[in-house]
Amino acid sequence: MDSSTTRRDATRRKLFEAAVTLIAEQGFSSTTVDEIAERAGVAKGTVYYNFASKNVLFEELLRHGIELLATSLQVAAEDVADRGGSRIDALDAMIRAGLDFISRYPALTQLYVAELWRTNRAWQSTLMVVRQRAITVVEDVLREAVANEELSEEIDIPLTASALFGMVLVAALDWQSYQPDRSIDEVHAALSRLLQGRVGGPPS
């Protein structure tokens, strides 16, 4: 990667960080390109050089953030597989990876969850695509668990994947907003017990 590409990537990350913080604080409509540029420490023209509009910036922000999350989930599952662990162990590792991600990027997570419930946004189709990217990672592990007879073949894989994904998102936001005194280990342990008790039983 040449120096110009490295600089451009660094600038885009600064713009992403500025945009997600501002939008989480005051909403998309109230956030201006001028404010994003000022928060990122760049000229307004730099925003438009990298993104055609504020809408495009936001769409790319969603893609960037969920790709980071999906990659972290996939790496967690692969690490367990490399160590010879079960697919249930992989799901548990993915829960921890999700909590780690959300603790690092709380504003992005808040923004993503808020936008999930809006249907009048120009980027709604993009949001559905990036959501599916993360959900697919979970679905793949669930399918492997069924194939290995760790889970019953009767489970609804798409719905179970969505439920696990949503469980981590909502629990993590509740943890950060209302129970910040809890450690990530405590939160992970609670969700791990839920996974093992509700999902992880062997087929009958």
Side-chain angles (χ1 to χ4, degrees):
M1 185 179 295
D2 60 37
S3 60
S4 62
T5 302
T6 301
R7 285 196 302 273
R8 185 165 188 262
D9 287 347
T11 299
R12 288 168 68 91
R13 283 195 299 272
K14 286 168 63 176
L15 291 170
F16 285 150
E17 290 167 5
V20 72
T21 303
L22 285 165
I23 294 170
E25 288 174 356
Q26 57 194 36
F28 177 81
S29 298
S30 298
T31 299
T32 67
V33 172
D34 286 323
E35 288 173 320
I36 293 170
E38 182 179 357
R39 180 70 65 94
V42 301
K44 181 178 180 179
T46 301
V47 180
Y48 288 115
Y49 176 76
N50 286 275
F51 305 100
S53 66
K54 187 173 74 169
N55 277 359
V56 172
L57 167 58
F58 189 69
E59 284 193 48
E60 290 300 312
L61 168 62
L62 290 173
R63 290 184 187 276
H64 173 73
I66 299 303
E67 184 60 34
L68 287 176
L69 173 58
T71 299
S72 69
L73 297 178
Q74 197 159 14
V75 167
E78 290 171 353
D79 285 347
V80 171
D82 290 343
R83 297 195 304 270
S86 71
R87 296 294 80 196
I88 301 302
D89 291 335
L91 290 170
D92 187 56
M94 293 166 80
I95 288 175
R96 178 58 185 242
L99 293 173
D100 285 337
F101 178 88
I102 293 165
S103 68
R104 289 200 307 272
Y105 304 103
L108 175 62
T109 307
Q110 291 167 9
L111 193 56
Y112 170 76
V113 171
E115 291 300 319
L116 273 179
W117 307 110
R118 302 182 191 274
T119 58
N120 60 342
R121 299 296 204 191
W123 52 79
Q124 187 66 24
S125 60
T126 297
L127 188 60
M128 293 302 99
V129 169
V130 298
R131 171 191 171 277
Q132 190 56 44
R133 166 74 177 98
I135 295 292
T136 296
V137 176
V138 185
E139 288 179 349
D140 289 345
V141 175
L142 288 171
R143 287 193 181 90
E144 291 170 3
V146 171
N148 294 343
E149 299 186 343
E150 295 177 51
L151 291 176
S152 169
E153 62 183 13
E154 296 178 357
I155 71 166
D156 184 319
I157 288 176
L159 189 57
T160 301
S162 296
L164 289 172
F165 185 67
M167 175 183 75
V168 174
L169 285 178
V170 174
L173 289 178
D174 184 87
W175 159 45
Q176 299 218 328
S177 298
Y178 303 111
Q179 305 180 63
D181 54 315
R182 288 183 177 272
S183 70
I184 191 169
D185 290 335
E186 287 181 292
V187 178
H188 176 223
L191 296 185
S192 180
R193 284 192 291 271
L194 185 62
L195 169 71
Q196 299 290 342
R198 302 296 187 186
V199 178
S204 57

